[in-house]
Amino acid sequence: MSADDRESGGKRGGAETAGGAAPEALSKLNTNLARIDELTKRLVGALSTKRSSDHGLQGPGPELYAKAMAAYWAEMAANPGKLIERQVGYWGQALKHAVEAQAALSTGKPVAPVDNHPKDRRFSDPMWSEHPYYNFLKQQYQISAQAIQDTVGELEGLDQRDKQRVEFFSQQIVDLFAPTNFLATNPEAMTRAVATEGESLVRGLENLVRDIEANEGDWLVTLSDPDAFQVGGNIGATEGSVVFRNRMFELIQYAPTTEKVQRTPIVLFPPWINKFYVLDLKPQNSLIKWIVDQGYTLFVVSWVNPDASYADVTMSTYVDEGYLTAIDVVKEVTGEEQVNAIGYCIAGTTLSLVLALLARRKDASVRSATFFTTLADFEDPGEMSVFLDDDFVDGIEREAGAKGYLDKFFMGRTFSYLRSRDLIYGPAIKSYMLGETPPAFDLLYWNGDGTNLPGPMVTEYLRKLCVGNLLAGEGFDLMGEEGLTLADVKTPLCAIACETDHIAQWKGAWNSVEKMGARDKTFVLSQSGHIAGIVNPPSRNKYGHYTNDGDTRPATADAWLEGATFHEGSWWPRWDAWIRPRSGRKVDAREPGGPNHPILGPAPGTYVMPRKAKPGTP
C-alpha cells in the first residue's frame, strides 16, 4: 500500500469519524459490522465440525519437551553464569529499546529508534520502520525472537536429531507470535480496514470461513484462486489418452508430435502425495509435453485418490498393482521388451525398491531409471527429519488406522510448516486480514490439490523406509524377496536433485545414488527447490545445474560439488542426451492404445479429477 493510500485511510478513519462520519460511510460501516456478525456465526458452526483429535496428530511428543527442559536445567546447574549473562543481556536490550521508543513517542514529531536488525520481508510496510509504536512492536519481537533462538541454539546435552527438532518447533512458536499475524498489531491491515470502512475485514472473514468449512473445521489457508484453473482445461491439457485403468492408477499414453520416436518407451511414476499434472501445468513449462516433443513415447501413471475402501493397500500393492502392472501394460501396448522408467520423490524411492526386486528376479524390463528429487537413504533426511520420529509416526498410524486412510489435510499441513512464513502466515495475512483474493497461480493451485494416502501404506513407508531406513541398511522384505537393498539396484541410472530442496535434500539424494549397485550412474544437481528445480524448461533459462564428470567418484556429496562444473540453463537437454542412447533406434510414432488396450478416455483421465465414480471402473 502506498503512502498516499495510508494518508487517505488515516484521514477517512480520523478526521471524518472524529467530526461525525458521513452518513454513507457510517451506513457502510454498520452494514459491514452486521456482515461480520453473520460470518462469525458461520465460523463458529464450521469450527464445531472439526475432526476428532482423539486419535489424530498431536505434534511432538512429551519426550521431546522433557529432553529439552532437562538439557536447559542441566546447563543452568553446570553453568549458571552463562545463562544469567544471556538473560541479563536480553533484558538490557529490551529495556534500552523501550526507553528509546518511549522518548520517540513523547516528542511532538516522533521518530522511530535506530533499527539494526536484519531486514525481514514480513516487516516491509514502511510503517514498521517509520511509526514509533509499530517499530517498537517489531523490534521488541525481534529482540525476543533472537533471545529464544540463541538459547535453544546453545543448548547442550541433546543429540543432533533432538536438537534439530527443538530448534524447529521453537521457531514455529516464534513465527506464530509475530506481530504481523494479529490485526491490532499489523499496520497494513489496520490501515486497509479503516480505508475500506471494514470491508477488507468482511472479505477476510469470508475467506477464513470458506477455508474452515472446506477443511472440516480445521484451518488450512487457500493459496491459489480455486476458480482460476480447470484440470484438463487450462492446466494438465497435453493431448493423450487413458489406455489402462485398475483400482490403483490410470495409465495415460500421450499423443506423438513427431513422425518418428525412440523405440524404448518411457513410463513416468509421479508421487501419489499430489497429482501428476505438476509436470504438465501449461505448455510453456510442461515436462510431459517437452519429452513428447523430443520424440519419445511417453506414458504417465495417474494414481487414484484413495478413500476408506483402500484400507488394505500396502507398499506391496503399489509395487504389484502399480509399478509392475504399469510396466507390463506399457510393454504390451508398444510391443517392446523394455521401458525407461522415471520416479519422482516418493515414487522414486519406490522405483528403487522395484528395481531391486526386478534385479533379484533377473527381470530386465527396465532399461534405465531416472530419479527426480529422490531419497532412498534416509540416514540424513534433512529438514523433513523433524517429522520422522516415533511421536509423529504414531500419530499418523492412529489417524490412518481409525479411518483406513490418511486425509490429504495432514500431509498438506505438514509440508506447509516446513515453509510456514511463505505457505501459512504470509498467505493468511493477505487473505484474512487484508481481504485479498488468493492469486491465480497454477503451481499453488496444484499444491493445494492433494491426495489421501492408504493407511497401511503410509505407516509402512514411514516406519520401514524413512525411520527404519531398511532399504539402505538391513534390507526390506517385499513380495517374497527378503532383504532388498539399494545395492541390488543394477540398472543404469540418472538422478536429478535440487540444491535448495527442503523435502528431499540433495546430499541425501547423492548418498542414495552412491549406495545403489549400478555401475552406470549420473548425478545432476539443479538449482532451486523440490518443484521449481524440476519444472525448469530450457526456454526460461532461469536455473542452471551442476555436473561432475571426474574419473574418480568423490567420497562425499560436498566433495562432489566442490569438483562439479556449473552449467547455465535447464538440465532437461542434458537428460535428453543421457537417455537417448539408452532408447534404441527410431521407429514410426505410436498412436495411443492398441488392440488389447482400447482408449478409455482422453487425458488427463478421471482419477486426477474430484471423484465421481468408484475407482477401478472403466
Side-chain angles (χ1 to χ4, degrees), residues 435-446:
E436 296 179 1
T437 300
F441 188 0
D442 54 5
L443 183 58
L444 291 180
Y445 177 88
W446 166 84

Side-chain angles (χ1 to χ4, degrees), residues 36 176 243 248 399 412 535:
I36 288 174
L176 171 64
V243 296
M248 294 303 299
E399 175 68 27
V535 183

Side-chain angles (χ1 to χ4, degrees), residues 117-130:
H117 292 97
K119 288 189 178 298
D120 186 331
R121 61 181 178 178
R122 291 177 295 177
F123 303 105
S124 58
D125 189 281
M127 290 277 278
W128 289 111
S129 300
E130 297 170 359

Side-chain angles (χ1 to χ4, degrees), residues 11-49:
K11 288 179 179 178
R12 184 179 292 115
E16 287 187 7
T17 56
E24 60 272 17
L26 184 59
S27 175
K28 182 178 180 182
L29 179 61
N30 288 333
T31 299
N32 286 331
L33 289 173
R35 182 69 176 133
I36 288 174
D37 181 63
E38 176 188 337
L39 287 166
T40 301
K41 293 176 182 177
R42 273 184 60 194
L43 179 61
V44 171
L47 289 171
S48 68
T49 66

Side-chain angles (χ1 to χ4, degrees), residues 62-229:
E63 295 85 358
L64 181 64
Y65 296 113
K67 289 179 181 179
M69 290 304 300
Y72 179 83
W73 287 114
E75 187 174 350
M76 173 70 82
N79 193 355
K82 176 182 177 182
L83 293 179
I84 292 172
E85 180 182 358
R86 184 189 299 141
Q87 188 67 38
V88 170
Y90 161 67
W91 288 342
Q93 274 189 290
L95 182 59
K96 179 176 180 292
H97 174 254
V99 171
E100 292 173 349
Q102 182 65 32
L105 286 166
S106 64
T107 62
K109 293 184 178 181
V111 177
V114 174
D115 184 353
N116 295 317
H117 292 97
K119 288 189 178 298
D120 186 331
R121 61 181 178 178
R122 291 177 295 177
F123 303 105
S124 58
D125 189 281
M127 290 277 278
W128 289 111
S129 300
E130 297 170 359
H131 194 288
Y133 169 69
Y134 290 114
N135 183 266
F136 169 75
L137 293 175
K138 180 189 78 166
Q139 291 207 50
Q140 286 291 320
Y141 167 75
Q142 291 176 317
I143 291 169
S144 299
Q146 190 61 54
I148 293 171
Q149 292 163 355
D150 290 344
T151 300
V152 172
E154 294 174 11
L155 273 180
E156 299 177 358
L158 293 173
D159 63 34
Q160 186 58 37
R161 183 83 169 262
D162 286 335
K163 186 172 183 179
Q164 185 178 8
R165 299 188 82 210
V166 170
E167 289 176 346
F168 175 82
F169 291 111
S170 298
Q171 188 60 50
Q172 296 305 310
I173 297 172
V174 169
D175 288 344
L176 171 64
F177 285 102
T180 49
N181 295 340
F182 301 91
L183 176 62
T185 55
N186 186 316
E188 185 178 6
M190 290 295 285
T191 303
R192 179 79 61 90
V194 171
T196 62
E197 283 93 14
E199 179 66 26
S200 61
L201 298 183
V202 172
R203 293 195 301 266
L205 190 54
E206 288 174 339
N207 292 340
L208 176 60
V209 171
R210 176 204 63 210
D211 287 347
I212 297 291
E213 289 177 339
N215 289 287
E216 300 179 33
D218 276 307
W219 171 56
L220 192 67
V221 63
T222 298
L223 300 177
S224 176
D225 184 350
D227 300 320
F229 300 100

